[in-house]
Amino acid sequence: SRRSTRNMYCKVHRPVNTPGVSDNKGKCVQLVEYLSKELKEERSYYDNFFSQKEDYVTPLTVMHHMDNNHRTLKRNDDKFYMLTINPSGEEQQHLIEKVTGKKTGEFSELSPEQQKEVLAEMKRLTRECMDEYACNFYREKIRSGDDLVWYGRVETERHYKGDDPEVKAGERKPGLQLHVHIIVSRMDRSQTVSLSPLSKSRGNRQVLDGREVVVGFDRSQWSARCASQFNQLYGYFPYYHSKDKKFRKYSENWQAENELKNEAVSKLKREILQGELKEERRMYTNTFRLYRFVVDPKKAIIRELKRLGVNLLTGRDR
């Protein structure tokens, strides 16, 4: 179920929760076929897959490129991931009005030409979000969506599942339901860098092929940065039309404060991950260990003994 929010949320789907996919360790044919379901129906806004540079890509091309972009991965490694970009209802209304000048609560009420214009903007937004996705790995060689292999599809409908007794499974949900499904390869375009958005970012670094690299991906930060991109592209202020003066005042300062906050977090994280602030990082680690002892002494002692044991076996001394 979707959250009630005024801002979009961007999600990384785990393989077990990816529709129509048993796992992501083989070919992507099941997922591509699942995402192609709207193509089989007669619609005035008939559309296809798109990428960072191309607006129309066939399912066959998607499968070919995705399934041939993992030469260094092992058989049981993840080969691809599914992401979704989900603008809130308020954001969808704002985008449509900004693009077409029309206020509507249903995509079908737009003319074919207006529908194409909205789809084009959704693609533009997705490319910005994939630039943020690339930057969120903090890898030297990964600067933008151009460095990735990914394909997206804008979907205009959502349907009820069989777990709601009041509606029939498969029925279309009312209202605006624009969202984007993305298939992204685990390997970058050069097939030399492995990128997993399922690795939780904790500021860790690891030596790979003789070089120290960042490990992890901050999913919440990626989602926040994508929401900021929407705000910048379309001048979206959640409380702009509110009759409440408090909300209107909040709206005037909201964009600047939000951008400053996100930039500050991003800059601090870059400094930590790039080896700066070593003393601060060590202080944080020690403080966190002390906190564990206060909250749950028994559990903390067991963890500390395990850590010391591993260090003795591996020769590490932190």
Side-chain angles (χ1 to χ4, degrees), residues 31-228:
L31 182 53
V32 172
E33 288 180 348
Y34 172 79
L35 298 182
S36 301
K37 59 185 181 298
E38 284 194 2
L39 298 178
K40 299 175 183 177
E41 302 180 34
E42 287 296 326
R43 302 179 190 277
S44 58
Y45 53 84
Y46 177 88
D47 203 9
N48 221 321
F49 287 91
F50 66 98
S51 66
Q52 188 79 13
K53 297 291 187 183
E54 299 174 279
D55 280 331
Y56 301 97
V57 182
T58 66
L60 193 62
T61 299
V62 173
M63 288 187 283
H64 174 74
H65 285 172
M66 295 296 298
D67 291 339
N68 288 279
N69 197 69
H70 48 71
R71 67 186 178 198
T72 61
L73 295 178
K74 297 177 181 178
R75 185 178 65 179
N76 291 325
D77 288 339
D78 293 345
K79 305 300 188 304
F80 58 88
Y81 302 98
M82 188 179 89
L83 320 173
T84 52
I85 297 172
N86 307 275
S88 67
E90 290 92 339
E91 286 171 327
Q92 292 177 62
Q93 289 178 328
H94 181 86
L95 172 65
I96 290 173
E97 186 175 359
K98 193 86 171 177
V99 173
T100 69
K102 183 176 180 178
K103 292 184 178 180
T104 182
E106 292 286 346
F107 187 75
S108 59
E109 294 176 356
L110 299 174
S111 69
E113 189 58 38
Q114 289 172 330
Q115 289 172 347
K116 289 179 181 178
E117 291 174 353
V118 172
L119 289 177
E121 286 302 319
M122 288 294 291
K123 292 177 183 180
R124 177 190 179 194
L125 172 64
T126 302
R127 287 165 180 144
E128 296 287 344
C129 291
M130 291 310 290
D131 283 340
E132 295 293 347
Y133 175 88
C135 293
N136 204 43
F137 284 100
Y138 293 91
R139 297 292 188 90
E140 185 179 344
K141 292 175 63 176
I142 311 301
R143 299 295 186 182
S144 71
D146 288 328
D147 299 315
L148 308 173
V149 174
W150 68 270
Y151 295 94
R153 277 211 76 246
V154 182
E155 295 200 353
T156 61
E157 297 181 357
R158 294 182 189 272
H159 299 84
Y160 289 108
K161 297 180 181 178
D163 54 1
D164 191 334
E166 297 183 3
V167 295
K168 185 178 179 181
E171 282 187 2
R172 187 179 72 84
K173 291 184 178 182
L176 294 171
Q177 302 292 345
L178 290 166
H179 61 287
V180 183
H181 284 277
I182 298 163
I183 309 175
V184 58
S185 176
R186 179 170 183 168
M187 301 300 294
D188 75 321
R189 188 171 294 279
S190 70
Q191 298 191 62
T192 60
V193 182
S194 175
L195 304 165
S196 172
L198 296 179
S199 297
K200 180 66 176 176
S201 175
R202 293 185 177 88
N204 297 330
R205 299 178 69 84
Q206 177 177 314
V207 177
L208 292 175
D209 299 325
R211 297 186 62 186
E212 194 177 40
V213 298
V214 177
V215 178
F217 182 90
D218 192 328
R219 295 187 286 277
S220 60
Q221 187 182 37
W222 174 52
S223 188
R225 301 285 295 182
C226 290
S228 293

Side-chain angles (χ1 to χ4, degrees), residues 1 10 18 54 64 70 72-73 112 120 142 180-181 185 227 242 260-262 292 294 296 301 308:
S1 62
C10 300
T18 301
E54 299 174 279
H64 174 74
H70 48 71
T72 61
L73 295 178
I142 311 301
V180 183
H181 284 277
S185 176
S242 174
L260 285 172
K261 179 188 72 174
N262 284 332
R292 281 177 174 169
V294 173
D296 191 340
I301 289 171
L308 292 172

